[in-house]
Amino acid sequence: MAKEQIQVLNALDVAKTQWYHFTAIIVAGMGFFTDAYDLFCVSLVTKLLGRIYYHVEGAEKPGSLPPNVSAAVNGVAFVGTLSGQLFFGWLGDKLGRKKVYGITLMLMVICSIGSGLSFGHTPKSVITTLCFFRFWLGFGIGGDYPLSATIMSEYSNKKTRGAFIAAVFAMQGFGILGGGLFAIIISAAFKANFDSPSYEVDPLRSTVPQADYIWRIIVMVGAIPAALTYYSRTKMPETARYTALVAKNTAQAAADMSKVLQVDIQAEPVKEEQSKVKPYGLFSKEFLRRHGIHLLGTASTWFLLDIAFYSQNLFQKDIFTAVGWIPPAKTMNAIEEVYKIARAQTLIALCSTVPGYWFTVALIDRIGRYTIQLMGFFFMTVFMFALAIPYDHWTKKDNRIGFVAMYSLTFFFANFGPNATTFVVPAEIFPARFRSTCHGISSAAGKLGAIVGAFGFLYLAQDKDKSKTDAGYPPGIGVKNALILLGCVNVAGFFCTLMVPEAKGKSLEEMSGENEEEEEVARQDVEKSHANNNSTVTHI
């Protein structure tokens, strides 16, 4: 590796933590705040959409989204996210992190507003346009994953890199919390002004016309935090590692980092002739030999984690109903139901989701990514089996508080565990020219797991007795067997973690093997030079 490159990258590795690092966390983190808000806020309003657009005259229960419509509203954003992760991950390595970073945020702003302005008043027109905008919203969110992780890892010093990347991802917890709190405020305000009887008293009047504004406002507000950080994103310089290692402009990398880190880094443009040895590509045998097992490890662990993580929403409604956080739907009006669902989601976020993320931030550079991920999968397995095997015991009224505690602990160890580390590790262990792409591939595998978890298990978890299934669903294997299956998924995640290396305290170039790669290129250049000299001597 050229001496000038080493100087720039070493300066980054040993730079003291300063205000600029925290600014980068906030700018990148607000993207993740928005991601989580946009992805999870729809779960707050799906019941309301069912009441407004799928009311059935004379039905005993309020209207609800048919299974195929519910799957489309929830799933289309996941499909968009998966596509965006692959596309923007690749583009981030081709064009640079900075050039693409603003595009993803602007896409999220436009599509958040578009989702809330879903046109028409018929169920078909509203749901179709909502799904259209949520796909493209997901596409922008998908781009935020590889770009934010890569930018943060390339800006950080090696001592606190894990905590900085994890802190960006931890903003998801605040996004979920923010969505719940905002929904509580809006629904409380509307309830005070437009009160109405419960569904069982008057089915038609229980959903006031103004309720249609509630879901639109909740969905559109996601645009505000993203828009607030757009200007800051456009002003961030390209990362020094991309500029030095991929764009091969060491002088520019040194100048950029001198400004932001407030240290003097001198580097002249590299004078020597660039090596004729072509670096290996993503689809080469050399990449497979060096990083194939690592990519398999990061992709498989994220895939398995998201199956379990997104499946946990299956029994959320059982828990909320069991402890009385959400009374039966027919005993509430439409606005009251939004309020109760938002309150329940906020309590779970406050008690287990947010603390789990920040435990990871505090400890990841002390005990390491590998240990946290193994521990997380282990405890998720323990608590999932503890919920599943005595499932009938937990459903009895006296034991319901224990059920909630177990459920919260499963969520806590997902976030103080693989849900955070699967995001951190792919941003650290691959070469700079593939870093964003490999993170995109790993996170896309995760979203594929989310789709399997959210929809495959939605059908699987249905009761074996046809008369007890949710409206429109075929019989499944039951919640108990679905939970046992999820426990087995966590066991598989534990063993797949063994393929992932530990990056704690090591530089990115050390982890990715770029130091060795440059040394190998230099050695080949020297050998070529000797061969040419010998050939000249022989000729004379």
Side-chain angles (χ1 to χ4, degrees):
M1 188 177 284
K3 200 181 289 180
E4 293 84 354
Q5 285 182 1
I6 291 174
Q7 190 181 356
V8 173
L9 304 184
N10 279 351
L12 278 170
D13 280 335
V14 299
K16 288 179 181 174
T17 299
Q18 51 195 277
W19 181 244
Y20 185 76
H21 288 115
F22 293 109
T23 307
I25 290 170
I26 292 164
V27 172
M30 285 312 284
F32 268 88
F33 179 96
T34 308
D35 295 350
Y37 182 100
D38 289 334
L39 282 177
F40 288 93
C41 74
V42 79
S43 65
L44 300 169
V45 299
T46 46
K47 296 274 189 190
L48 182 60
L49 288 168
R51 283 189 186 238
I52 297 169
Y53 298 108
Y54 292 89
H55 172 73
V56 178
E57 200 65 50
E60 188 190 339
K61 292 179 182 178
S64 62
L65 298 180
N68 60 329
V69 175
S70 179
V73 169
N74 288 287
V76 74
F78 288 152
V79 175
T81 305
L82 189 154
S83 312
Q85 285 163 335
L86 292 171
F87 176 73
F88 284 112
W90 167 78
L91 206 61
D93 283 333
K94 286 291 172 195
L95 302 181
R97 291 57 161 128
K98 183 196 168 176
K99 283 183 184 174
V100 188
Y101 207 28
I103 299 170
T104 60
L105 206 63
M106 193 43 64
L107 203 52
M108 285 152 63
V109 171
I110 293 165
C111 294
S112 289
I113 296 167
S115 298
L117 295 175
S118 295
F119 316 112
H121 293 285
T122 65
K124 193 172 183 181
S125 64
V126 170
I127 297 299
T128 302
T129 50
L130 178 62
C131 287
F132 173 81
F133 282 114
R134 280 192 66 78
F135 172 83
W136 290 107
L137 174 67
F139 196 69
I141 288 170
D144 224 39
Y145 273 74
L147 293 169
S148 288
T150 302
I151 284 171
M152 204 63 238
S153 77
E154 292 182 346
Y155 271 142
S156 302
N157 59 47
K158 63 183 178 184
K159 189 179 176 185
T160 56
R161 187 179 62 236
F164 286 169
I165 306 170
V168 169
F169 194 63
M171 292 297 282
Q172 273 202 338
F174 288 127
I176 297 167
L177 190 62
L181 287 171
F182 183 72
I184 287 171
I185 294 163
I186 286 293
S187 55
F190 271 77
K191 190 175 183 298
N193 288 288
F194 308 104
D195 205 6
S196 59
S198 66
Y199 183 85
E200 61 188 355
V201 173
D202 190 334
L204 213 54
R205 283 181 55 234
S206 70
T207 306
V208 294
Q210 292 83 357
D212 194 51
Y213 294 122
I214 294 177
W215 74 265
R216 293 177 187 275
I217 292 168
I218 289 171
V219 166
M220 281 198 283
V221 160
I224 295 173
L228 289 173
T229 52
Y230 178 75
Y231 178 77
S232 301
R233 279 201 181 191
T234 59
K235 292 297 168 191
M236 289 176 87
E238 182 56 86
T239 71
R241 284 188 158 90
Y242 184 86
T243 308
L245 296 172
V246 184
K248 304 291 184 189
N249 188 343
T250 312
Q252 185 63 50
D256 288 344
M257 287 306 101
S258 293
K259 278 184 207 164
V260 299
L261 296 177
Q262 295 166 357
V263 290
D264 189 34
I265 306 170
Q266 295 296 329
E268 294 298 319
V270 180
K271 296 285 197 300
E272 70 263 26
E273 188 187 341
Q274 290 292 325
S275 169
K276 301 283 193 305
V277 180
K278 194 179 177 187
Y280 62 86
L282 182 66
F283 299 105
S284 64
K285 284 182 181 175
E286 187 64 14
F287 177 87
L288 196 64
R289 183 181 73 79
R290 287 172 181 255
H291 304 290
I293 196 81
H294 298 159
L295 186 57
L296 179 63
T298 56
S300 61
T301 49
W302 208 333
F303 173 76
L304 293 163
L305 173 272
D306 273 9
I307 290 177
F309 188 73
Y310 284 89
S311 299
Q312 286 176 323
N313 293 327
L314 295 176
F315 47 107
Q316 209 164 44
K317 66 180 190 298
D318 299 331
I319 288 164
F320 294 160
T321 307
V323 295
W325 287 354
I326 302 179
K330 65 182 180 180
T331 65
M332 298 180 283
N333 62 43
I335 298 174
E336 196 179 353
E337 188 174 35
V338 174
Y339 177 84
K340 293 278 173 69
I341 291 168
R343 189 182 65 175
Q345 182 171 304
T346 304
L347 282 166
I348 288 289
L350 207 54
C351 297
S352 62
T353 307
V354 172
Y357 280 124
W358 290 96
F359 263 76
T360 302
V361 174
L363 296 173
I364 192 166
D365 287 310
R366 294 185 189 179
I367 61 178
R369 298 88 167 118
Y370 185 75
T371 307
I372 288 176
Q373 189 160 310
L374 282 176
M375 179 196 68
F377 271 125
F378 175 78
F379 282 111
M380 283 172 74
T381 306
V382 168
F383 291 119
M384 202 70 88
F385 283 139
L387 281 171
I389 295 164
Y391 183 70
D392 297 330
H393 166 81
W394 293 121
T395 53
K396 292 177 181 144
K397 197 168 185 180
D398 295 343
N399 306 322
R400 284 170 177 174
I401 298 299
F403 189 59
V404 175
M406 289 284 189
Y407 176 75
S408 296
L409 283 167
T410 312
F411 249 114
F412 175 81
F413 280 106
N415 294 314
F416 179 35
N419 194 39
T421 53
T422 51
F423 177 81
V424 174
V425 175
E428 299 183 300
I429 63 174
F430 299 106
R433 64 185 184 277
F434 306 130
R435 189 168 288 135
S436 179
T437 305
C438 289
H439 196 286
I441 292 167
S442 303
S443 54
K447 274 296 163 281
L448 189 61
I451 293 166
V452 171
F455 305 110
F457 277 82
L458 193 61
Y459 284 86
L460 275 176
Q462 294 298 320
D463 202 284
K464 296 175 187 175
D465 182 350
K466 174 75 174 130
S467 64
K468 293 180 183 175
T469 60
D470 292 341
Y473 287 91
I477 60 172
V479 174
K480 177 175 179 171
N481 291 330
L483 287 173
I484 290 171
L485 198 54
L486 287 176
C488 296
V489 167
N490 289 329
V491 171
F494 180 90
F495 285 108
C496 285
T497 299
L498 302 177
M499 292 188 279
V500 180
E502 177 58 77
K504 182 182 75 163
K506 295 177 181 175
S507 76
L508 293 177
E509 289 67 45
E510 191 181 346
M511 283 308 303
S512 63
E514 280 165 295
N515 285 343
E516 297 166 28
E517 204 181 316
E518 292 284 347
E519 284 165 13
E520 176 66 17
V521 167
R523 188 183 60 76
Q524 289 180 20
D525 283 350
V526 169
E527 285 175 2
K528 270 188 180 180
S529 173
H530 283 319
N532 288 340
N533 289 340
N534 289 340
S535 150
T536 308
V537 170
T538 308
H539 182 69
I540 290 167

